[in-house]
Amino acid sequence: MKAYLFDPALPVEPTHLRLGPVSAAHTHCTARVSGHGQYIIRAALTDCGGRVMFTESAILYNNLLLYSPPPKSPGDNFQVEGAAIPVQCKYKRRYTVSSRALKPTWIPQISVHSTHLDLDFQLRLMTNDWSSERKSSVYFLGDIVHIEASVDHHLPLRLYVDSCVATLTSDVNSYPRYPFIDHQGCFKDSQLNGSNSRFLPRIQDKLLQIQLESFLFHQDHRHTIFITCHLEAEPTSNNKDPEKKACSFMSGRWRSVDGEDDVCESCSKIQETNHSNSDEPSHKRAPRSKTKYKLNDLQKKTTVGPIIFLPRKAEHSGNYKLY
């Protein structure tokens, strides 16, 4: 809705606009400012007193957009009247109606192709306080890289990072390569002694904050790093998939960003496997991730880079990682 709903000379206050009768009051049924001189109401079709009707060819959701201006105050030259604007959402019927049980003839919305869902998966380099996107992609060894993974959509979704791999080119399958998050959300880099790499505790379902300690590949003079992550989203209304997790190794144990540390048990098994192979040279190329997945509607590979990792100057040199 435009802020000037009726007359450009009479801007409408968002608190005076609501969807549905007052008897069906919900806070989300009232208009809110959405920018660009517009207001918005986000509500389910059956919320805010909406009514559903069926015709032979369509399903109709009917409601009223109500404009309720405040009472006239002393000294006002005129009184603005209220208004009720019909709102209707029309959908073609997609059921075959008969005496038998109804069977849907379309794929449920949550499973349709991502071009229909239009999910916006992103990886962004952030400032140290996470307040904004970082303008520079240059880091020195020992610096912490703050990476924000997010998904944007009107559906209530929870984001997970299935895996992340660092490479020297934009080709995710190139070598050398270092999968620092793997096995469906285990932050392997956090296992290293003294590592500052980890997931931060989750603050939003659609967001994950990743801290990665900068590093260089062993015996490779290129300093450009590309980070490719396999991101997954799932509806918050679904029963939680026990295989989906975001776990970091901290204080001698695996911990979940969501506080459910039991889901990180599979990461402990990976750690035991790594210890059994501890006699292998540490400078060997990082192995290819064994995680296999097939991209579906709620998954996407997303890349950020090139990121520049530079050695510190001699007077500031210290311990840093090589892969």
Side-chain angles (χ1 to χ4, degrees):
M1 301 155 286
K2 295 186 180 299
Y4 300 95
L5 190 63
F6 303 105
D7 189 322
L10 297 174
V12 175
E13 294 294 326
T15 54
H16 301 158
L17 283 170
R18 63 166 293 103
L19 186 65
V22 177
S23 59
H26 293 286
T27 55
H28 63 273
C29 298
T30 303
R32 299 180 181 179
V33 177
S34 65
H36 308 293
Q38 294 182 335
Y39 302 144
I40 191 169
I41 297 175
R42 293 186 184 274
L45 292 169
T46 53
D47 282 356
C48 310
R51 295 187 177 184
V52 60
M53 292 178 55
F54 297 87
T55 68
E56 185 176 354
S57 60
I59 302 175
L60 307 177
Y61 292 89
N62 297 299
N63 213 326
L64 291 174
L65 177 64
L66 302 179
Y67 173 53
S68 304
K72 182 178 179 180
S73 301
D76 287 347
N77 295 325
F78 56 90
Q79 170 65 39
V80 180
E81 295 185 356
I85 305 168
V87 177
Q88 184 180 84
C89 296
K90 181 177 181 180
Y91 297 86
K92 292 182 179 179
R93 294 192 69 154
R94 304 191 185 190
Y95 283 93
T96 300
V97 180
S98 69
S99 58
R100 299 179 180 179
L102 298 180
K103 294 183 179 180
T105 58
W106 82 101
I107 301 173
Q109 179 191 16
I110 205 64
S111 300
V112 299
H113 195 273
S114 58
T115 54
H116 297 156
L117 287 174
D118 194 26
L119 298 184
D120 184 16
F121 288 95
Q122 289 192 6
L123 282 178
R124 299 192 301 162
L125 300 178
M126 303 297 289
T127 56
N128 290 347
D129 61 0
W130 299 95
S131 62
S132 60
E133 190 167 0
R134 197 176 193 265
K135 295 181 179 180
S136 172
S137 59
V138 178
Y139 297 84
F140 289 97
L141 288 177
D143 288 346
I144 301 298
V145 185
H146 296 81
I147 306 171
E148 180 183 271
S150 63
V151 59
D152 186 21
H153 198 267
H154 63 81
L155 292 172
L157 299 174
R158 183 179 293 109
L159 179 70
Y160 293 94
V161 179
D162 181 272
S163 61
C164 285
V165 61
T167 53
L168 292 169
T169 73
S170 58
D171 180 4
V172 69
N173 295 312
S174 63
Y175 289 97
R177 63 199 313 273
Y178 175 48
F180 58 90
I181 298 175
D182 209 347
H183 301 281
Q184 295 181 297
C186 300
F187 206 139
K188 298 199 304 181
D189 196 75
S190 64
Q191 293 178 255
L192 301 179
N193 289 335
S195 175
N196 292 309
S197 299
R198 62 188 178 102
F199 289 110
L200 294 188
R202 193 192 293 274
I203 57 174
Q204 294 182 38
D205 280 335
K206 299 183 180 182
L207 194 82
L208 276 175
Q209 295 173 326
I210 301 169
Q211 285 190 178
L212 175 66
E213 191 171 348
S214 55
F215 62 89
L216 290 178
F217 283 94
H218 186 49
Q219 294 182 344
D220 197 302
H221 299 293
R222 289 173 290 178
H223 300 290
T224 57
I225 302 292
F226 291 82
I227 292 176
T228 301
C229 294
H230 177 72
L231 305 181
E232 295 188 20
E234 72 168 10
T236 56
S237 58
N238 286 2
N239 292 328
K240 192 175 185 306
D241 186 343
E243 293 186 350
K244 288 186 170 61
K245 55 190 175 294
C247 301
S248 306
F249 192 75
M250 297 184 296
S251 302
R253 58 177 294 191
W254 286 96
R255 298 180 182 273
S256 166
V257 298
D258 299 306
E260 303 168 352
D261 295 343
D262 290 345
V263 301
C264 301
E265 182 179 350
S266 58
C267 297
S268 299
K269 297 178 181 178
I270 299 167
Q271 185 181 9
E272 293 170 3
T273 302
N274 290 344
H275 284 319
S276 66
N277 297 328
S278 59
D279 57 335
E280 296 183 4
S282 60
H283 66 274
K284 288 187 65 176
R285 182 176 62 202
R288 176 187 291 269
S289 167
K290 295 182 179 179
T291 302
K292 294 183 179 180
Y293 40 73
K294 180 180 179 182
L295 292 182
N296 63 25
D297 316 319
L298 300 177
Q299 305 177 20
K300 186 178 180 181
K301 285 183 181 179
T302 307
T303 301
V304 60
I307 307 171
I308 312 299
F309 288 167
L310 298 177
R312 285 195 179 277
K313 296 179 180 179
E315 61 269 23
H316 300 295
S317 63
N319 295 329
Y320 52 84
K321 298 184 293 182
L322 291 174
Y323 291 105

